[in-house]
Amino acid sequence: MALLEIKDMHTNYGVIKAVRGISFQVEQGEIVTLIGSNGAGKSTTLNTISGLVPIAGGEIWFDGQNITKLETHDRVKRGIALSPEGRQVFPELSVEGNLRMGAYTVSKETLEAEQKNAYELFPILYERRKQAAGTLSGGEQQMLAVARALMCRPKVLMLDEPSLGLAPLIVAEIFKLIQRINKMGTTILLVEQNARMALSISDRGYVLETGKIVLSGTGAELAADEKVRSVYLGGL
Amino acid sequence: MHFQQLINGLAVGSIYALVAVGYSMVYGVLKLINFANNAFMVAAAFLLILFYSTWHLPYGLAIILALVLCAAGAVFMERASLNPIRKKNAPGISALICTVGYSTVITNLLLYAFGSQTIMVPFVLHLPTFELWGAVIDPFTLIILGTAFVLMVFLTWLTYGTKTGEAMRAISQNTQAAKLMGVDVNKIITLTFFIGTACAALSGIMIGIYYSAVDTTMSFTIGIKTFAAAILGGIGVLHGSLVGGLVIGLLETFVAGYISAGYKDAIAFIILILVLVIRPSGLFGKPVQSKV
Ligand SMILES: Nc1ncnc2c1ncn2[C@@H]1O[C@H](COP(=O)(O)OP(=O)(O)OP(=O)(O)O)[C@@H](O)[C@H]1O
Ligand SMILES: [Mg+2]
């Protein structure tokens, strides 16, 4: 049984049908990537799984249970974390305060243990721990967003464009970290514009086009696919 | 004379501050001006009269019932009306006008039930006034100052020293992200309405006792001044409300004492306008930053 299973999911914004009946699974321990052009519905997919936007049809199953009707905070408690598009750190809280918020649903002991992990994964955050998150650089904020999402010890970590707007060197670093987090036991559902890099670390992937899944396969298969190469990998 | 004005100004100011806190707390989490805040403030004084003078409940119980009922009324407004409006992604102005609606309905109900005349607000402790440095001190002003002080300490601790307070601040900075942290946002919003309104309600009772009278127009006269106090200090900022309330309370008392009682409201607002021209987001408010 898959850890996360999406069955014929639909999401609308008023009359706009952003996601039109997609189905896919994420198995325990996998890294799965969703790729697609701007407006394909990638963020909408993750936001619907989180419960931030209401589902218009279909079901979401997690860990053997139907979570379609649960509110966001209950999904977080069950182990679904999202590091949203555009970082969304709490600008006036310190780095430490942001991490504490990440651990809102877990015990104090877990908070302390996970904070140690976070500082180990991202030493720069330890240096900046007293600083207001709004004053961090873009890359630092991205690291904070990822670290914050990890604080609740999620079973699945969803990352929406973690490399957006970052320098190539930092992008490589972020992808290495994603692999490391995955090796430590967290299942990853990744959304990326940087399809090449994302597919190279993924077990499997899905291609979204105007709200529908048009292609799926292993990371290597997708990276080798004609169409994916021409549309999403810049024709190389 | 100066000292007398100072004490009176501080007492009135700290009452204003507590009402301003009601506006400010709700604004902090929802970016909403809850105009029903002032109606609940006045309602509390009337409820005290009903519970104590008419129903003969013990005084302390009457006060607690009045506070809880007002706070519960605000929670009802949030659950029954504001929450559904928010869920439909309506523009902020819809929720705002909804609170104006509640304010009007509550004030009208009070008019219907108690009439438009000024009613005496009962107070059971007969404390003798005493003289201090040439001023005649009504001991009740000390109760007001003490209550305001204790409540401000409590609210500061709640906001900056507890997990719930951190969640409130997180919601105020980014509601979606707060949800993603596992915060039950609606629960925190409900709590905020409860506490904010209880503060305003307690102020309503204290101001009723202080002036020994209440009438429904206070919903407007004091409502607008305390709203001004919240804006003056920087709405959404706790200590801003405190300072805003004290500034307006002191100003109007001194103006009434040294210039003329007729000018006191105007002067408070002239100062408000001047401050806002120089610091549009209030004394302690953060300048609005548009997100890139
Ligand atoms: N809040 C919203 N209101 C209305 N329409 C929206 C909203 N959010 C997204 N959409 C629309 O839904 C569609 C899917 O958007 P979504 O953000 O999911 O795309 P995406 O694949 O994440 O794109 P990108 O790569 O640019 O982030 C788009 O057509 C977008 O315009
Ligand atoms: Mg997106």
Side-chain angles (χ1 to χ4, degrees):
Chain A
M1 186 187 48
L3 178 63
L4 178 66
E5 184 162 13
I6 310 302
K7 296 179 181 174
D8 193 29
M9 184 171 87
H10 293 255
T11 309
N12 304 334
Y13 298 104
V15 293
I16 301 168
K17 296 188 184 338
V19 170
R20 321 175 188 205
I22 61 171
S23 300
F24 66 93
Q25 303 88 37
V26 181
E27 304 287 340
Q28 171 74 46
E30 277 189 315
I31 299 182
V32 173
T33 296
L34 304 178
I35 58 175
S37 341
N38 293 119
K42 306 179 299 293
S43 298
T44 303
T45 301
L46 296 193
N47 290 341
T48 314
I49 296 173
S50 270
L52 285 181
V53 291
I55 195 166
E59 287 179 355
I60 305 167
W61 286 70
F62 182 69
D63 220 2
Q65 284 176 313
N66 186 343
I67 61 159
T68 316
K69 295 216 160 72
L70 292 187
E71 288 199 59
T72 301
H73 60 94
D74 284 322
R75 299 186 197 201
V76 175
K77 274 190 201 126
R78 282 168 196 240
I80 302 179
L82 169 63
S83 166
E85 190 173 51
R87 299 159 196 142
Q88 316 280 344
V89 296
F90 302 111
E92 285 157 36
L93 297 186
S94 64
V95 167
E96 238 171 26
N98 271 272
L99 293 178
R100 249 194 327 269
M101 282 309 298
Y104 190 78
T105 55
V106 297
S107 70
K108 208 168 165 225
E109 290 70 42
T110 312
L111 160 66
E112 274 158 18
E114 285 306 314
Q115 196 171 27
K116 243 182 96 202
N117 280 343
Y119 289 148
E120 216 174 283
L121 281 174
F122 307 98
I124 187 75
L125 293 184
Y126 181 73
E127 280 171 44
R128 303 262 187 267
R129 65 190 180 281
K130 298 287 179 208
Q131 204 170 314
T135 64
L136 298 178
S137 78
E140 289 163 350
Q141 287 189 17
Q142 189 62 61
M143 291 181 211
L144 178 58
V146 175
R148 187 181 65 172
L150 279 170
M151 292 296 293
C152 63
R153 286 198 184 150
K155 294 192 178 119
V156 58
L157 172 63
M158 303 193 288
L159 299 162
D160 196 344
E161 309 217 17
S163 74
L164 192 72
L166 302 186
L169 222 61
I170 316 242
V171 173
E173 202 177 314
I174 290 261
F175 276 97
K176 261 191 224 133
L177 273 164
I178 294 171
Q179 280 183 296
R180 206 172 139 198
I181 291 162
N182 177 250
K183 294 241 163 61
M184 286 156 59
T186 310
T187 305
I188 308 267
L189 177 55
L190 181 63
V191 158
E192 260 299 335
Q193 296 264 341
N194 200 329
R196 184 191 321 278
M197 201 72 121
L199 289 174
S200 76
I201 66 161
S202 296
D203 298 298
R204 294 184 304 110
Y206 296 87
V207 179
L208 264 177
E209 237 171 55
T210 56
K212 285 190 168 144
I213 291 177
V214 292
L215 206 61
S216 66
T218 65
E221 280 166 7
L222 289 180
D225 185 272
E226 273 303 299
K227 191 174 170 227
V228 173
R229 290 170 73 95
S230 69
V231 179
Y232 304 105
L233 302 180
L236 291 169
Chain B
M1 182 68 181
H2 299 304
F3 186 62
Q4 180 87 59
Q5 304 290 3
L6 181 70
I7 291 289
N8 293 351
L10 283 177
V12 173
S14 40
I15 293 180
Y16 289 173
L18 285 181
V19 187
V21 160
Y23 284 111
S24 205
M25 285 184 76
V26 169
Y27 185 85
V29 292
L30 278 181
K31 301 285 169 289
L32 167 75
I33 311 288
N34 170 21
F35 276 113
N37 192 49
N38 48 9
F40 285 119
M41 169 194 77
V42 178
F46 279 107
L47 286 175
L48 172 64
I49 294 169
L50 175 71
F51 294 152
Y52 179 72
S53 308
T54 313
W55 293 1
H56 304 297
L57 296 178
Y59 195 70
L61 181 67
I63 288 189
I64 290 170
L65 270 184
L67 296 184
V68 170
L69 217 67
C70 286
V75 168
F76 173 83
M77 171 179 75
E78 149 63 14
R79 286 291 168 93
S81 310
L82 298 176
N83 186 298
I85 290 176
R86 267 202 313 280
K87 269 201 186 136
K88 298 205 174 83
N89 268 326
I93 198 87
S94 309
L96 181 103
I97 224 52
C98 177
T99 67
V100 173
Y102 268 88
S103 173
T104 311
V105 170
I106 294 165
T107 313
N108 270 6
L109 279 177
L110 293 175
L111 260 178
Y112 177 75
F114 297 95
S116 59
Q117 72 275 37
T118 302
I119 304 181
M120 160 96 183
V121 178
F123 187 56
V124 285
L125 296 177
H126 295 286
L127 306 168
T129 56
F130 60 91
E131 235 177 86
L132 182 68
W133 297 328
V136 183
I137 310 279
D138 174 356
F140 186 65
T141 53
L142 301 183
I143 295 182
I144 292 175
L145 292 177
T147 309
F149 178 77
V150 169
L151 271 178
M152 286 312 292
V153 169
F154 166 74
L155 291 173
T156 306
W157 168 77
L158 179 77
T159 313
Y160 295 98
T162 69
K163 199 168 156 176
T164 303
E166 193 153 59
M168 283 175 177
R169 286 184 291 143
I171 292 171
S172 135
Q173 291 167 39
N174 191 329
T175 309
Q176 298 283 76
K179 284 185 187 168
L180 288 175
M181 303 298 105
V183 176
D184 185 345
V185 170
N186 283 328
K187 197 167 105 187
I188 302 278
I189 288 173
T190 300
L191 181 74
T192 308
F193 268 100
F194 192 92
I195 296 175
T197 307
C199 285
L202 185 59
S203 315
I205 287 177
M206 289 197 298
I207 206 145
I209 296 172
Y210 185 70
Y211 293 134
S212 0
V214 66
D215 66 71
T216 47
T217 62
M218 280 163 70
S219 165
F220 179 74
T221 51
I222 296 183
I224 198 81
K225 253 185 276 186
T226 48
F227 177 50
I231 303 285
L232 176 67
I235 191 156
V237 185
L238 201 58
H239 53 279
S241 296
L242 176 64
V243 174
L246 289 178
V247 166
I248 294 204
L250 285 169
L251 261 177
E252 70 168 38
T253 310
F254 276 94
V255 170
Y258 295 116
I259 303 173
S260 155
Y263 293 135
K264 69 174 194 180
D265 292 352
I267 300 251
F269 277 92
I270 288 168
I271 299 290
L272 174 73
I273 292 167
L274 286 179
V275 169
L276 290 185
V277 168
I278 298 163
R279 284 189 65 93
S281 33
L283 292 171
F284 296 95
K286 286 170 208 81
V288 184
Q289 284 170 351
S290 47
K291 274 193 186 149
V292 190

